[in-house]
């Protein structure tokens, strides 16, 4: 039996609990603690997806102290990484982990957007936890590699470089890490909504919708579909890649979208991709929050109308072709949309004007520039 096993703090990552156990145990060597935790059969721990380690440790605690469901649901990243799993696959994973076996999930991206690995903390959370609990601890949400901002405090996370693979041999309690501020670089407009989306995918009670996908609809309304308005059209991979590059920059593009194929895109649009990162990135890029992403079906023409009205409100006078291109539709579709919703055209018919002038110039009858 393990004595003095710490009670996890709110949102504490399971590896962090093990680190605090090591400190409490007073052992000078990591190996002694590992031996104690797993009864002489060392296991892998400190990974983004938990393995049999949680159930094994709980089996060495007095009954009723901690439940495996509580540990998996509230102290690991399992809810995040299984958010898009089909119900039966999700059940299988949970069943295996409850029984102390591996999850079978192998394809989890461990690299942060800059291509390195590390543990992360928020300086504000560090100070608040120390004040409230007497010590700092690793929060599970901060360890999601795609997350660069604390969803609670909206400030950059600080990274301690270390490979996840090393955490099975080393205990690195956050209390042993000096608390410093992260360097505040320029804050891009996507950082906060992405942090909110990632937090929602971890904590929320969301599941893929049946029979429709609002991300698909929103991508079409933003002009990333084939060149026509239809609920059923495919998404154009090239357009999405260019948009991601422009919106998020080269690092995120390289990590998540540079090898995007039409097949993967199709799986994304049918909720068939298991990793949540690309869903989060695309949804934020087209302005969806988690409630809308998993909410009632959106209508593509309604979304187009919304965008058209926002251009109208902005007061910039676009040429008709420019405006249509911005919305990812054909100029003729702009007319149909305006007619359908009784919107007076607020764009200039530049191309036609220019064509008329060119015709006039060619016939040499008038100079009109
Ligand atoms: Zn924080």
């Amino acid at each position: 039996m393990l004595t003095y096993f710490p009670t996890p703090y709110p949102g504490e990552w399971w590896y962090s609990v093990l680190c605090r156990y090591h400190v409490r145990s007073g052992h000078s060597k990591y190996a002694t603690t590992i031996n104690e935790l797993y009864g002489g059969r060392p296991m892998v721990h400190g990974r983004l997806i938990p393995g049999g380690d949680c159930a094994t440790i709980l089996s060495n605690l007095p009954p009723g102290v901690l439940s495996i469901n509580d540990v998996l649901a509230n102290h690991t990243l399992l809810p995040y990484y299984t958010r898009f799993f089909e119900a039966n696959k999700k059940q299988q994973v949970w069943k295996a982990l409850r029984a102390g076996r591996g999850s079978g999930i192998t394809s989890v991206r461990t690299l942060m957007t800059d291509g390195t690995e590390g543990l992360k903390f928020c300086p504000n959370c560090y100070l608040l936890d120390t004040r409230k609990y007497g010590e700092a601890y690793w929060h599970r949400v901060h360890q999601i590699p795609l997350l660069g901002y604390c969803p609670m405090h909206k400030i950059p996370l600080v990274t301690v470089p270390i490979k996840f693979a090393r955490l099975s041999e080393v205990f690195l309690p956050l209390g042993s890490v000096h608390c410093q501020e992260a360097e505040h670089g320029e804050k891009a407009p996507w950082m906060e909504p992405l942090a909110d989306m990632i937090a929602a995918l971890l904590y929320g009670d969301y599941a893929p919708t049946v029979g429709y996908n609002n991300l698909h609809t929103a991508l079409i309304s933003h002009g990333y579909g084939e060149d026509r308005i239809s609920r059923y059209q495919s998404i154009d991979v090239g357009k999405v890649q260019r948009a991601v590059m422009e919106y998020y920059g080269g690092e995120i593009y390289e990590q998540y979208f540079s090898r995007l194929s039409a097949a993967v895109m199709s799986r994304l649009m049918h909720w068939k991709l298991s990793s949540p990162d690309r869903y989060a990135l695309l949804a934020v890029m087209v302005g969806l929050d988690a409630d809308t992403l998993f909410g009632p079906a959106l209508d593509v023409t309604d979304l187009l109308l919304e965008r058209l009205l926002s251009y109208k409100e902005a007061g910039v006078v676009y040429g008709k072709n420019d405006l249509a291109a911005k919305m990812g539709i054909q100029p003729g579709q702009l007319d149909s949309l305006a007619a359908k919703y009784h919107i007076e055209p607020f764009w200039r018919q530049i191309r036609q004007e220019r064509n008329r002038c060119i015709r006039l110039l060619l016939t040499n009858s008038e100079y009109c520039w």
Side-chain angles (χ1 to χ4, degrees), residues 1 7 11 27 55 96 110 190 197 205 214 244 277 311 315 329 341 364:
M1 280 290 156
T7 303
H27 299 312
T110 55
W190 50 266
M197 174 62 79
D205 189 20
N214 279 341
V244 166
D277 299 332
Y311 280 115
I329 58 178
Y341 292 100
N364 230 356

Side-chain angles (χ1 to χ4, degrees), residues 122 124-125 142 150 152-153:
C122 156
N124 266 23
C125 289
H142 296 158
C150 175
M152 196 191 295
H153 298 112

